């Protein structure tokens, strides 16, 4: 029984940690549009605002972490630590107390500006009584009932990744908004959610929705085969879920057309079939790849013994 519990705990942890590496598979092209930090004027929308509605469509990667499910498998302290590691790139003092209360966390990023830190973090859970430090935050006007807005006193003097605005949806959710995204989120509060925003499945422990973009021209010229591969992919959705055997990753890769999907499938098959390191041979056997028209589906099982080895820092095998 103890061994089974350790396997389940390790599997939960692995699924959480998988969120750390996912942004690396995006591109580095393009840049954020110019924005005015002031809230845009316009008509009010009278409606219930859902936490995920605060994620603008210009953030091309959205990751959803189900902290409550992790907590059920690992306990409060361990699950919060794993979620904190998944959000390690969010340098904010306001995150700590909100994370301890969260049941679900959404992280929206723009991969082209990953180092700069343009992002929105939304934490949904038991937020009653959570109040920003009045020495650092001051109330700002909010046109919507049940919504409280706080701006950083003196503005953001450091990195643009620092949180410039906190938005509280009653006692249901808190959003931490970086400076570049302030006007975009203000627009969402005014006009409603973007139709094309990232929308990860409400399944598993970690899920993501990525809108792929072309590589920058100088990178595409240097690596034309990779550039063609990335250009043929329109969207990637993935879910990491816990099973008795370990952690299973289900991925749906949508090509711009059947030819683009075929290029992606062939690349993945070559990757799977040509790993020479014997330690990972069994793991590669667990990766199934199939194409249906313009969609490629992957299913990959990470066995519990391998998960335990990776988490303990031992070499697999």
């Amino acid at each position: 029984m103890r061994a089974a519990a350790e396997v389940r705990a390790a599997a939960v942890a692995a699924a959480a940690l998988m969120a750390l590496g996912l942004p690396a598979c995006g591109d580095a092209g393009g840049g954020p549009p110019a924005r005015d930090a002031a809230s845009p004027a316009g008509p009010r929308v009278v409606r219930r605002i859902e936490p995920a509605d605060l994620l603008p469509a210009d953030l091309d990667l959205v990751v959803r972490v189900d902290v409550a499910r992790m907590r059920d498998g690992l306990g409060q302290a361990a699950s919060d630590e794993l979620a904190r590691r998944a959000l390690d790139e969010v340098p904010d003092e306001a995150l700590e107390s909100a994370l301890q209360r969260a049941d679900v966390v959404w992280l929206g990023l723009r991969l082209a500006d990953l180092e700069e830190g343009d992002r929105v973090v939304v934490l949904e859970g038991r937020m009653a009584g959570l109040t920003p430090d009045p020495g650092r935050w001051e109330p700002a006007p909010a046109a919507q009932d049940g919504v409280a807005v706080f701006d950083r006193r003196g503005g953001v003097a450091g990195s643009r990744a620092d949180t410039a605005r906190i938005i509280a949806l009653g006692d249901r959710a808190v959003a931490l908004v970086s400076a570049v995204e302030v006007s975009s989120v203000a627009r969402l509060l005014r006009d409603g959610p973007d139709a094309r925003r990232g929308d990860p499945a409400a399944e598993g422990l970690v899920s993501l929705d990525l809108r792929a973009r072309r590589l920058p021209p100088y990178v595409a010229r240097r690596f034309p085969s990779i550039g063609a591969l990335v250009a043929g992919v329109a969207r990637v959705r993935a879910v990491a879920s816990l099973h008795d055997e370990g952690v299973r990753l289900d991925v749906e890769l949508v090509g711009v057309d059947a030819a683009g999907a075929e290029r992606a499938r062939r690349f993945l098959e070559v990757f799977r079939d040509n790993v020479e390191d014997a330690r990972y041979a069994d793991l590669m056997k667990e990766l199934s790849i199939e194409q249906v028209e313009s969609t490629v589906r992957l299913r990959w099982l990470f066995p519990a013994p391998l998960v335990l080895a990776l988490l303990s820092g031992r070499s697999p095998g």
Side-chain angles (χ1 to χ4, degrees), residues 68-142:
R69 289 183 180 177
M70 293 183 187
R71 194 174 293 131
D72 289 341
L74 289 176
Q76 178 81 42
S79 61
D80 287 351
E81 176 60 23
L82 287 170
R84 188 178 299 108
R85 291 179 63 183
L87 296 170
D88 192 48
E89 297 301 320
V90 182
D92 198 282
E93 73 281 354
L95 179 65
E96 184 73 19
S97 56
L99 185 56
Q100 295 176 0
R101 300 163 175 255
D103 292 326
V104 177
V105 178
W106 286 270
L107 174 61
L109 301 167
R110 185 184 301 104
L111 292 185
D113 302 292
L114 194 59
E115 293 184 359
E116 287 78 4
D118 297 345
R119 46 86 186 152
V120 175
V121 182
V122 184
L123 305 100
E124 181 180 9
R126 304 165 300 281
M127 301 298 169
L130 185 65
T131 305
D133 180 357
R136 297 183 177 182
W137 299 92
E138 58 183 350

Side-chain angles (χ1 to χ4, degrees), residues 222-246:
R222 185 174 180 183
F223 306 101
S225 59
I226 296 178
L229 176 67
V230 173
V233 177
R235 201 153 197 163
V236 180
R237 293 184 174 92
V239 176
S241 54
L242 176 64
H243 296 266
D244 292 338
E245 300 84 2

Side-chain angles (χ1 to χ4, degrees), residues 12-86:
V12 174
L17 294 177
M18 286 167 65
L20 302 179
L22 288 170
C25 65
D27 79 274
R35 291 180 176 84
D36 187 341
S39 300
R44 290 178 52 187
V45 177
V46 179
R47 58 183 174 79
R48 176 182 170 89
I49 301 170
E50 298 299 332
D53 292 349
L54 300 180
L55 297 167
D58 65 281
L59 299 177
D60 47 20
L61 171 65
V62 178
V63 180
R64 181 184 186 274
V65 183
D66 197 318
V67 183
R69 289 183 180 177
M70 293 183 187
R71 194 174 293 131
D72 289 341
L74 289 176
Q76 178 81 42
S79 61
D80 287 351
E81 176 60 23
L82 287 170
R84 188 178 299 108
R85 291 179 63 183

Side-chain angles (χ1 to χ4, degrees), residues 150-166:
F150 302 87
D151 286 337
R152 186 182 292 272
R153 292 188 182 276
V156 178
S159 166
R160 77 191 231 185
D162 293 339
T163 296
R165 174 168 289 181
I166 295 177

